[in-house]
Amino acid sequence: MGTAFLHLIAQWAGATSIVALFGCIVAFALALQFSRQPFAPAAAAFDLARRLALLGGAAVIVASSASTLYWWWRGVAAGAAVVAIEAGLAVATLLFTVAVRALNARAPRA
């Protein structure tokens, strides 16, 4: 795995997180509008907003890890800093996994 591949992963994951953020905001705004109407698909819009939030969170974790490894591989980041950052990302990933399980457990089933 070369540095160019890590750089592309970090860039695309970062872009994915931004697009997911905007999509989440739009889906949530639509869900709020739909929740006031009797036959509108509010549940589906809330579900879409939730899934986009999960996608964005996962993309941020991937972008952070890939960019940290990229800068370490290029010799810019110190090894101790990389270990600390990646350990923090591992904890964040564990907490994110717990949050995803909690959100999926509370999500309504169709």
Side-chain angles (χ1 to χ4, degrees):
M1 177 167 53
T3 58
F5 187 62
L6 277 174
H7 189 69
L8 284 174
I9 289 173
Q11 285 180 337
W12 280 100
T16 300
S17 66
I18 291 171
V19 170
L21 170 70
F22 289 133
C24 182
I25 291 170
V26 169
F28 186 71
L30 287 173
L32 286 178
Q33 290 293 330
F34 288 159
S35 66
R36 296 186 185 119
Q37 299 172 2
F39 295 111
F46 278 119
D47 187 48
L48 177 63
R50 180 180 58 84
R51 289 182 188 270
L52 284 172
L54 297 177
L55 172 68
V60 166
I61 291 172
V62 169
S64 302
S65 182
S67 64
T68 302
L69 291 175
Y70 171 77
W71 289 114
W72 173 70
W73 198 315
R74 300 285 294 179
V76 176
V82 170
V83 169
I85 290 170
E86 292 295 333
L89 284 172
V91 171
T93 303
L94 179 66
L95 293 174
F96 184 73
T97 304
V98 170
V100 167
R101 287 186 174 268
L103 282 173
N104 283 338
R106 290 182 13 181
R109 302 288 177 219

